[in-house]
Amino acid sequence: MNKLAEQVTSQERKQNKENYLYLLEKGKGLVNLFYATIRTAALYEPNNDAFRKQIGPLMQAVREIIEHEGELSFSSKEGYLFLNQARLRLDFENYVASRFILEFTQKLQIYKLTLESGISQAELQDLICILAHIDPNEKEPFEVIEKKIFEQNLGHIRLEKEREHPVPEAELTSLDQRRTAKKTFYRAISVVREFSQRTQSGKGMNLVKVKRLVQSLVDQILQNEEIFLELSALKNYDEYTYLHSTNVCILSLLLGLRLGLSKRELCELGLAALFHDIGKVKLPLELLNKPSEFDESEWAKMRKHPVMGVKNLLASLKLDPFSIRAMLVSFEHHLNLNLSGYPKLKEKRDLNLFSRIVSIVDTYDAMTSGRVYLKTPFPPDEALRKMFYVREKVYDPSLLKLFINLLGVYPVGSLVLLNDGQIGLVTKNNPDNPSSPKVKLIADQEGTKEVPEILDLSQDSSSSAEPGASRSILRCIDPQKYNLDLSQFIL
Amino acid sequence: MSEETLDLKSDLNELQDQSNELLKAAQEVVNLFIKAIKIFCIYPPDNPIPKEFRNNLFRKLTEFLDENEELKLGIDQSRLFFKDKVILKEEKKDEGVAFALYRDGIREVSFQKGLEQEELFSFLEAITSCIKSILPEDDLVTLFWEKDLPHIKFSAVDEFLTEDISDLPQPTGSKDLKELYYSEVDLEGSREREISQPSKIQVERFLRDLDLIPQRELDELKFLLEKDKSFEPLKEMFFILKEVLSADSEFSDFSETILLLEKLLDSLVGQEDFYLASEVLLLLKNLGEAESEAGQAHRTERIKEALNRAGDKERVKTLTQILNQNPRLDLFSARKYLSLLSRNTIPHLVDMLGELENFATRSMVCTVLESWGEKNIELLSKGVYDRRWYVVRNIVGVLGRIGSPLAIPYLKRTIGHEDLRVRKQTLEALSRIKGEEVNSILLSILEDPEEKLRVRAARFLGERPCQEVVDYISNLVSRKDFRDKSPEEKKVLLETLAHTGKDEAVNLFKKMILKKTWFKKEKQKETSYLALKALASVNTPSSLEALKELSSSGSRKTRQQANLLREKFSSFQKSGEGRTPEVEKEFEI
Ligand SMILES: [Fe+2]
Ligand SMILES: [Fe+2]
């Protein structure tokens, strides 16, 4: 290649990179504005002040990007949202909005939405109104939107339809994905078990194996969060200790994902979470599975497990960042934010980010399963409230909020009683309406339903109990109290 | 042959041609690929040469992909395959690109259409870094996974992916919800529940509280994430270990943790990771100091024991093997590690000098020994009794660099060593040690059979003016056999005398210059000229006076030379210039 050509390519590359960073930067704000405007439009008329307050800044942001880039488009590919050619990074500042746009466009069968140079505020406003008011039960939403855009003569807006067949909502998670997820979930349990047993007998463990596992967990969680939430809600296994570690790993990864951690960081986090209780391997099983509360001497033994964990990891004789993160998390996961927990420290310090994450997730899983420290489990919603109000100095408050946002008030997998007397299993959280998730109705007075029905509580307007009123959740039910196996409804 | 079969054959030929063409194109790309990586391994990344190769490869590869959609390569230990044909065979079996991929379980790589420049470059970067380091921090699969390369696909063998996981926990419990239904729904409101259920108001409050994460908390979260970017694993680990050890209230627990650290140390040394090993050693040392300050004699002793063990005979032997086997070792860290070991390791390190096979490692060990300094001369000096001359020489070098008079008794011994190389080193060592005691040893070297050594000793003596030196050399140059020495040795001895004796030597020089003999006339002439020069170099009023005298007496030649020298030296004195090297040069024979 001659010098000039090389210069041009390198300049191009630089330009591309700059463009990419520009889009990433602008994308954050745009996604949030877009989300807020559509949500406002669904509630208010276009001439309402609240709506006008939204559309102005949105228009400005759109204009700015078009000026810089020539045009603006949202598209989705493999579960990621793209602004023009840049894949937007999800983090805690735009997570809800990005997810919303992704799911919203998917529901409307829109693969790509392009705004061309010259678009006016009136056109943008009309588009938002069309999108916000489309009937959720419309069979062919794309065609309806396209027609409206044509009729209203919105010349600077282009739509492209989803190429693949849209998946019916009830089967959003394909059977294949579920099977793979379940397999990975079980593999995780088996890896924890193997690691624990090897540690117990003083043997080393192949860390590459664990890394691969966490990597495949991350990959699959990126594709489908809900199925893993459902899996982690199942607590009815005999080998609870391994299951607990797997659950903590999955929930930690979900929280890490929402924080916008890189893949490498996620891998470190997942590994650390998986082994946070590795210090328990040498404790007698009778103690771990003791059905009643611990006495003081038993507590003293339990309190040693963070330190024992460090020793066990140290015994694997590796000092890579992965192992060190795991040691740190093992050591700190019961310390509490205000260091009121155990072990007692000589020196004051700030808890590591990963320890803060694992500590929240760990408590949540322990409280809702009622196996470890509390012998009677709390329903998920109650556990979250307890953590939020009663033990507020113990957890990182913003991380806890983020975690609750992620789970919803009624986390996926919760067994709930509705106000019309039906019993349902929560299958999907509505981020903008956390008390009204989607539920799978699985039982009524006849007992277990043959074919479960899916109900979106945020969209419901029919109630068999009280005509005209919408159905809602009355409270959570503890499946363990009845020794129930809910896996049939999940897997 | 019928027309039909002919057609078929030409079709087949055409197909054959096509596939050959494809193979050639693929081969071209693969060759570029291998070349690019080799060059990457050699040049720094911002050098224009690797850049050009990289761009070239990208161009060729995208051309190939535009036409053929993908380039799928099979991999074994030393070969790459394209459509089951060997497309590359590497010279050495256990290094190179194919092996780097193979080692981490990758058996197939496929580049796909749409491949972006950044992706290819990240890919190359990962492979290069893996080839370059013997013990890469991460495996390639992990590196590729982290880099997110959508147009480069792999298939890797992973023992665990194929592992049987049939023996898994199975969910327990009943599947019927009837019982639940009746107890929950019927009892609703009729019985105090074991766990209080939140009221609607409570839930609403909860939701309101959750709804907004205030800016302050968001900022804290950002700060936390930012802070985590600079996570320092070692620092964190040391914090934990300190806390763990202080949490070990029982001595047996404490001892067990220390034992773990000892094992870790062994393992790190075995992995040749001297950087981390030094860090662990340093930690142990710090811990030991802290325990000792806290008056924990038992614990301090335990740590001391661990530190001693790290430098025991057996472990130093292992270290020697490692240093001999791996020429690419990070010697800087190895040196750090060795210098952190306890005093008990000194004799073993001395021994090690005899076993090390290359110069760089020996010199590294010498630096370490040197750092033990004056206080350990006695231990270090054990090395002078070694039967291997090179060990003795190395130790003498160490003693010299330490420069302590305490080493003199040992150097006295080695100055008589049968090997000239040892004697030379001893002379150098002595020259670095201050004090008159050294002078008499240096003077004794003037009688060494080796002229080079004598000359060098004489030079050193020139820097150490004292009566003993003046007397000894005066005596030596007056001896009859002096004139038979080489001009070089005579010159240096006379200069040394001039320098140390000053005016005291003037008369002797005069005598030597004017001396006449019947035998060996040339030798005598030489001596007298050298003495004349030495006299001039004394450069004091009385030496100039003597020169003046000589310029009007003696032979014609002497007069001429004396005149010349006088002019030069008096003019320097007038202009106040000293004896510059240039001037010295002018007066060389
Ligand atoms: Fe724990
Ligand atoms: Fe735990």
Side-chain angles (χ1 to χ4, degrees):
Chain A
M1 206 186 294
N2 65 43
K3 272 266 150 6
L4 189 68
E6 195 179 303
Q7 252 173 22
V8 171
T9 22
S10 96
Q11 217 153 39
E12 249 172 44
R13 270 184 68 199
K14 210 168 143 203
Q15 188 69 45
N16 278 345
K17 190 145 197 170
E18 271 168 19
N19 256 13
Y20 176 72
L21 292 176
Y22 171 83
L23 286 171
L24 228 51
E25 178 60 34
K26 291 287 162 192
K28 262 191 191 176
L30 183 73
V31 162
N32 283 333
L33 278 169
F34 196 76
Y35 165 67
T37 314
I38 289 195
R39 307 241 325 124
T40 320
L43 297 172
Y44 304 102
E45 290 299 309
N47 53 11
N48 185 295
D49 256 2
F51 183 71
R52 273 204 227 117
K53 259 185 206 151
Q54 293 289 349
I55 190 86
L58 176 65
M59 186 61 213
Q60 206 180 339
V62 166
R63 200 173 284 145
E64 204 183 306
I65 295 177
I66 292 181
E67 235 163 64
H68 193 269
E69 298 283 306
E71 61 173 29
L72 181 160
S73 72
F74 277 125
S75 57
S76 58
K77 215 156 81 191
E78 289 169 9
Y80 289 108
L81 187 61
F82 284 74
L83 174 59
N84 292 3
Q85 72 280 13
R87 189 176 97 186
L88 297 180
R89 257 189 81 186
L90 293 180
D91 63 27
F92 63 95
E93 283 176 295
N94 63 8
Y95 194 89
V96 172
S98 309
R99 280 269 140 179
F100 171 82
I101 295 175
L102 264 173
E103 281 169 23
F104 185 72
T105 49
Q106 194 178 25
K107 201 157 45 181
L108 302 182
Q109 302 164 329
I110 299 171
Y111 157 69
K112 190 172 186 183
L113 167 66
T114 309
L115 308 180
E116 289 175 349
S117 168
I119 187 171
S120 68
Q121 179 157 336
E123 275 179 282
L124 182 65
Q125 184 172 320
D126 289 345
L127 170 72
I128 297 281
C129 289
I130 295 172
L131 293 176
H133 292 115
I134 192 93
D135 179 0
N137 298 319
E138 179 57 56
K139 285 263 153 42
E140 290 192 318
F142 184 87
E143 280 69 22
V144 173
I145 296 168
E146 207 175 32
K147 193 167 156 234
K148 282 194 176 163
I149 286 178
F150 179 74
E151 281 169 1
Q152 295 182 25
N153 210 4
L154 311 179
H156 296 94
I157 295 162
R158 269 194 340 253
L159 289 181
E160 272 174 59
K161 197 172 175 179
E162 192 83 57
R163 279 172 219 161
E164 308 104 79
H165 288 292
V167 192
E169 226 196 305
E171 293 162 20
L172 249 177
T173 317
S174 74
L175 211 58
D176 244 17
Q177 256 182 36
R178 286 180 167 268
R179 268 196 214 115
T180 324
K182 183 178 156 189
K183 226 169 142 184
T184 312
F185 185 78
Y186 277 170
R187 186 163 285 136
I189 298 177
S190 106
V191 165
V192 181
R193 181 171 53 187
E194 192 188 334
F195 199 96
S196 304
Q197 285 165 353
R198 291 186 70 95
T199 306
Q200 204 170 11
S201 53
K203 286 183 207 145
M205 170 87 183
N206 181 1
L207 216 56
V208 173
K209 190 167 171 174
V210 188
K211 276 194 217 167
R212 292 280 183 286
L213 168 86
V214 176
Q215 284 158 10
S216 66
L217 271 175
V218 171
D219 286 341
Q220 287 173 51
I221 289 175
L222 273 169
Q223 301 251 332
N224 190 329
E225 291 190 5
E226 274 75 27
I227 174 69
F228 281 95
L229 278 170
E230 288 177 34
L231 284 165
S232 73
L234 292 174
K235 324 259 169 178
N236 52 322
Y237 290 87
D238 281 338
E239 287 182 86
Y240 175 69
T241 320
Y242 308 140
L243 180 76
H244 166 66
S245 298
T246 308
N247 284 345
V248 171
C249 172
I250 286 169
L251 292 174
S252 298
L253 285 177
L254 283 164
L255 191 48
L257 216 57
R258 199 149 299 200
L259 281 169
L261 297 186
S262 70
K263 279 176 114 179
R264 187 192 174 89
E265 290 163 322
L266 287 171
C267 193
E268 285 182 14
L269 171 64
L271 198 138
L274 212 52
F275 298 133
H276 77 282
D277 271 340
I278 197 74
K280 287 185 181 171
V281 293
K282 284 177 186 154
L283 291 176
L285 226 65
E286 304 87 73
L287 179 66
L288 292 178
N289 294 336
K290 193 181 174 200
S292 55
E293 306 282 335
F294 297 133
D295 64 27
E296 202 30 62
S297 84
E298 286 166 334
W299 262 116
K301 273 185 200 149
M302 283 301 276
R303 284 203 194 99
K304 275 192 168 175
H305 83 269
V307 167
M308 281 312 295
V310 175
K311 293 193 184 187
N312 289 340
L313 288 162
L314 201 58
S316 74
L317 303 180
K318 292 219 175 62
L319 274 197
D320 54 306
F322 288 90
S323 311
I324 295 177
R325 280 275 199 192
M327 284 185 212
L328 197 58
V329 167
S330 167
F331 187 76
E332 291 184 335
H333 78 282
H334 289 291
L335 262 177
N336 298 345
L337 201 61
N338 55 4
L339 306 182
S340 60
Y342 57 92
K344 291 284 166 237
L345 292 192
K346 263 171 69 181
E347 231 174 282
K348 267 218 159 64
R349 79 183 244 112
D350 278 338
L351 289 198
N352 182 260
L353 171 68
F354 288 11
S355 307
R356 293 178 194 222
I357 293 175
V358 170
S359 138
I360 290 173
V361 171
D362 179 41
T363 315
Y364 170 74
D365 190 70
M367 277 175 101
T368 50
S369 65
R371 297 281 188 98
V372 192
Y373 305 107
L374 296 156
K375 300 302 168 180
T376 344
F378 285 103
D381 59 330
E382 185 63 7
L384 290 176
R385 279 184 347 104
K386 276 242 151 52
M387 288 170 71
F388 194 67
Y389 291 120
V390 183
R391 311 192 62 201
E392 54 184 340
K393 299 243 160 40
V394 167
Y395 308 106
D396 186 304
S398 27
L399 278 180
L400 180 58
K401 277 183 196 171
L402 219 55
F403 182 60
I404 298 173
N405 250 313
L406 157 102
L407 289 181
V409 175
Y410 301 104
V412 169
S414 306
L415 193 62
V416 291
L417 177 66
L418 300 188
N419 59 352
D420 67 348
Q422 298 205 69
I423 285 169
L425 197 62
V426 177
T427 58
K428 195 169 184 346
N429 177 21
N430 277 318
D432 42 303
N433 193 354
S435 60
S436 301
K438 266 176 209 146
V439 289
K440 197 186 256 182
L441 299 174
I442 54 172
D444 53 21
Q445 62 265 39
E446 307 294 324
T448 312
K449 287 190 178 192
E450 285 290 307
V451 186
E453 172 198 343
I454 300 273
L455 171 68
D456 186 345
L457 285 171
S458 68
Q459 307 274 340
D460 184 59
S461 54
S462 68
S463 163
S464 51
E466 254 177 83
S470 55
R471 282 177 282 186
S472 64
I473 293 173
L474 218 47
R475 59 181 169 79
C476 279
I477 298 168
D478 172 20
Q480 285 173 67
K481 209 169 119 193
Y482 301 95
N483 190 22
L484 283 181
D485 172 21
L486 295 177
S487 61
Q488 57 177 327
F489 304 108
I490 288 175
L491 304 173
Chain B
M1 215 182 283
S2 73
E3 225 167 71
E4 220 171 301
T5 46
L6 241 178
D7 246 17
L8 190 67
K9 195 165 182 198
S10 80
D11 273 2
L12 272 174
N13 277 340
E14 201 175 308
L15 269 176
Q16 188 68 44
D17 284 351
Q18 268 176 15
S19 91
N20 280 343
E21 201 111 303
L22 188 62
L23 192 68
K24 240 171 92 184
Q27 198 148 27
E28 197 184 349
V29 175
V30 167
N31 284 340
L32 271 177
F33 173 68
I34 300 291
K35 243 187 225 160
I37 287 177
K38 280 193 179 142
I39 280 176
F40 262 51
C41 288
I42 300 168
Y43 289 95
D46 49 348
N47 189 296
I49 296 175
K51 265 191 190 161
E52 197 182 317
F53 261 90
R54 204 173 60 174
N55 293 339
N56 203 7
L57 168 64
F58 179 68
R59 205 161 36 99
K60 280 271 177 238
L61 181 55
T62 31
E63 271 171 29
F64 185 94
L65 296 178
D66 282 343
E67 255 180 49
N68 303 295
E69 295 290 326
E70 76 165 347
L71 173 64
K72 198 194 264 180
L73 301 172
I75 294 152
D76 78 6
Q77 207 154 343
S78 59
R79 291 175 302 178
L80 296 180
F81 300 86
F82 177 71
K83 295 197 182 288
D84 293 330
K85 290 211 172 68
V86 177
I87 196 168
L88 175 101
K89 191 164 166 29
E90 265 166 325
E91 291 157 30
K92 287 182 190 157
K93 218 172 180 183
D94 294 345
E95 41 193 90
V97 180
F99 183 70
L101 292 161
Y102 182 85
R103 175 175 59 183
D104 288 329
I106 299 173
R107 296 292 178 269
E108 197 177 272
V109 179
S110 156
F111 301 92
Q112 299 183 335
K113 194 173 170 174
L115 177 81
E116 297 200 7
Q117 212 167 2
E118 286 296 339
E119 272 179 79
L120 179 68
F121 296 173
S122 307
F123 179 78
L124 290 172
E125 211 182 327
I127 297 192
T128 317
S129 78
C130 254
I131 293 181
K132 266 183 170 172
S133 60
I134 316 158
L135 283 169
E137 195 176 286
D138 263 318
D139 60 296
L140 272 176
V141 181
T142 300
L143 285 175
F144 293 151
W145 177 78
E146 280 168 9
K147 292 201 162 167
D148 238 340
L149 311 168
H151 299 95
I152 305 176
K153 305 261 185 257
F154 308 94
S155 75
V157 286
D158 261 313
E159 31 158 349
F160 101 100
L161 287 179
T162 49
E163 218 165 66
D164 183 27
I165 47 162
S166 55
D167 173 31
L168 275 175
Q170 289 302 316
T172 55
S174 100
K175 293 185 191 284
D176 191 17
L177 297 170
K178 210 163 189 167
E179 184 210 338
L180 165 117
Y181 186 83
Y182 283 102
S183 53
E184 289 288 336
V185 175
D186 286 346
L187 289 175
E188 185 61 22
S190 66
R191 187 180 65 132
E192 187 94 354
R193 288 189 36 79
E194 279 167 46
I195 297 161
S196 66
Q197 288 288 342
S199 70
K200 224 178 173 102
I201 297 165
Q202 274 176 316
V203 172
E204 267 162 25
R205 181 185 152 211
F206 185 34
L207 287 175
R208 205 185 47 235
D209 285 351
L210 278 181
D211 203 30
L212 268 178
I213 303 187
Q215 193 56 43
R216 180 184 50 80
E217 284 184 20
L218 280 180
D219 290 344
E220 276 171 17
L221 211 50
K222 269 190 204 159
F223 176 75
L224 198 62
L225 284 166
E226 208 42 56
K227 201 175 136 198
D228 200 67
K229 294 256 179 298
S230 47
F231 178 75
E232 292 174 66
L234 277 181
K235 216 177 112 200
E236 298 296 329
M237 193 197 69
F238 291 165
F239 149 76
I240 312 168
L241 285 175
K242 274 187 200 159
E243 292 288 349
V244 165
L245 283 166
S246 77
D248 283 334
S249 46
E250 299 285 319
F251 181 76
S252 60
D253 288 342
F254 177 86
S255 179
E256 180 196 76
T257 309
I258 297 292
L259 185 66
L260 276 174
L261 285 176
E262 286 186 55
K263 283 186 184 161
L264 179 66
L265 209 51
D266 284 344
S267 146
L268 289 172
V269 169
Q271 292 163 37
E272 301 174 12
D273 191 338
F274 288 105
Y275 173 73
L276 281 182
S278 318
E279 294 293 329
V280 174
L281 217 55
L282 200 61
L283 171 76
L284 272 171
K285 276 194 137 169
N286 291 339
L287 287 170
E289 278 160 26
E291 293 293 350
S292 147
E293 264 169 43
Q296 295 278 0
H298 213 26
R299 290 177 170 230
T300 314
E301 200 46 46
R302 175 66 186 85
I303 291 176
K304 220 178 187 173
E305 189 189 307
L307 286 169
N308 280 343
R309 212 163 10 230
D312 66 11
K313 194 172 179 180
E314 190 192 334
R315 284 177 175 76
V316 172
K317 223 177 204 168
T318 315
L319 284 167
T320 311
Q321 272 165 10
I322 290 170
L323 288 171
N324 276 341
Q325 272 158 17
N326 186 358
R328 284 201 286 171
L329 207 73
D330 167 15
L331 283 185
F332 183 78
S333 297
R335 190 180 85 195
K336 189 172 174 203
Y337 180 78
L338 292 180
S339 45
L340 283 166
L341 292 169
S342 302
R343 196 165 164 267
N344 71 313
T345 200
I346 296 177
H348 309 313
L349 288 184
V350 171
D351 232 20
M352 190 181 197
L353 280 176
E355 308 296 327
L356 287 175
E357 283 160 12
N358 69 66
F359 173 76
T361 50
R362 274 201 305 272
S363 123
M364 181 269 286
V365 173
C366 285
T367 323
V368 174
L369 288 171
E370 186 189 324
S371 67
W372 280 103
E374 196 172 14
K375 281 185 192 151
N376 296 287
I377 291 286
E378 208 176 313
L379 264 178
L380 293 167
S381 299
K382 294 254 159 69
V384 305
Y385 303 106
D386 201 285
R387 61 192 156 76
R388 293 160 295 196
W389 68 267
Y390 44 94
V391 176
V392 182
R393 183 178 67 172
N394 280 335
I395 291 299
V396 169
V398 170
L399 293 176
R401 280 191 299 277
I402 293 174
S404 158
L406 293 175
I408 293 174
Y410 304 101
L411 295 176
K412 256 184 186 162
R413 182 189 162 87
T414 54
I415 200 62
H417 200 280
E418 57 181 13
D419 196 291
L420 173 63
R421 288 164 288 194
V422 175
R423 300 207 302 277
K424 258 187 188 160
Q425 190 72 58
T426 309
L427 176 60
E428 298 298 321
L430 285 165
S431 75
R432 288 161 181 257
I433 298 172
K434 292 199 180 76
E436 300 218 337
E437 205 187 339
V438 174
N439 294 357
S440 46
I441 313 175
L442 288 176
L443 286 171
S444 75
I445 302 173
L446 296 180
E447 310 295 341
D448 194 277
E450 183 66 31
E451 180 194 316
K452 268 189 190 151
L453 210 62
R454 298 195 301 267
V455 168
R456 200 145 171 80
R459 275 194 217 279
F460 287 138
L461 284 164
E463 307 298 318
R464 302 167 157 265
C466 79
Q467 197 56 47
E468 190 190 358
V469 173
V470 180
D471 291 348
Y472 192 97
I473 299 183
S474 300
N475 185 14
L476 195 149
V477 299
S478 312
R479 275 178 0 209
K480 212 175 177 186
D481 60 354
F482 178 69
R483 66 173 177 204
D484 299 331
K485 290 184 180 287
S486 76
E488 165 78 359
E489 189 176 359
K490 282 194 275 191
K491 177 176 170 258
V492 174
L493 280 167
L494 290 168
E495 273 172 2
T496 302
L497 183 58
H499 202 58
T500 54
K502 296 276 171 189
D503 286 347
E504 209 186 322
V506 170
N507 275 333
L508 180 59
F509 287 146
K510 251 163 75 181
K511 231 171 91 188
M512 288 175 82
I513 294 162
L514 295 172
K515 183 167 183 175
K516 293 211 167 62
T517 65
W518 298 106
F519 305 104
K520 299 188 180 169
K521 270 193 167 167
E522 279 310 303
K523 279 276 171 196
Q524 177 52 38
K525 263 187 195 164
E526 188 183 85
T527 309
S528 106
Y529 175 65
L530 288 168
L532 186 63
K533 268 190 70 185
L535 174 67
S537 77
V538 172
N539 201 16
T540 60
S542 76
S543 76
L544 287 175
E545 186 58 34
L547 270 186
K548 198 177 160 191
E549 252 175 61
L550 288 166
S551 63
S552 56
S553 64
S555 67
R556 191 171 53 89
K557 187 102 193 248
T558 310
R559 288 201 304 269
Q560 256 177 10
Q561 286 165 339
N563 252 331
L564 207 65
L565 286 164
R566 215 179 108 218
E567 266 167 39
K568 287 274 174 191
F569 274 87
S570 51
S571 73
F572 298 144
Q573 265 195 343
K574 268 178 221 153
S575 63
E577 277 178 54
R579 287 172 49 171
T580 62
E582 295 91 80
V583 177
E584 299 242 311
K585 214 169 177 185
E586 236 174 285
F587 286 88
E588 285 295 316
I589 302 172

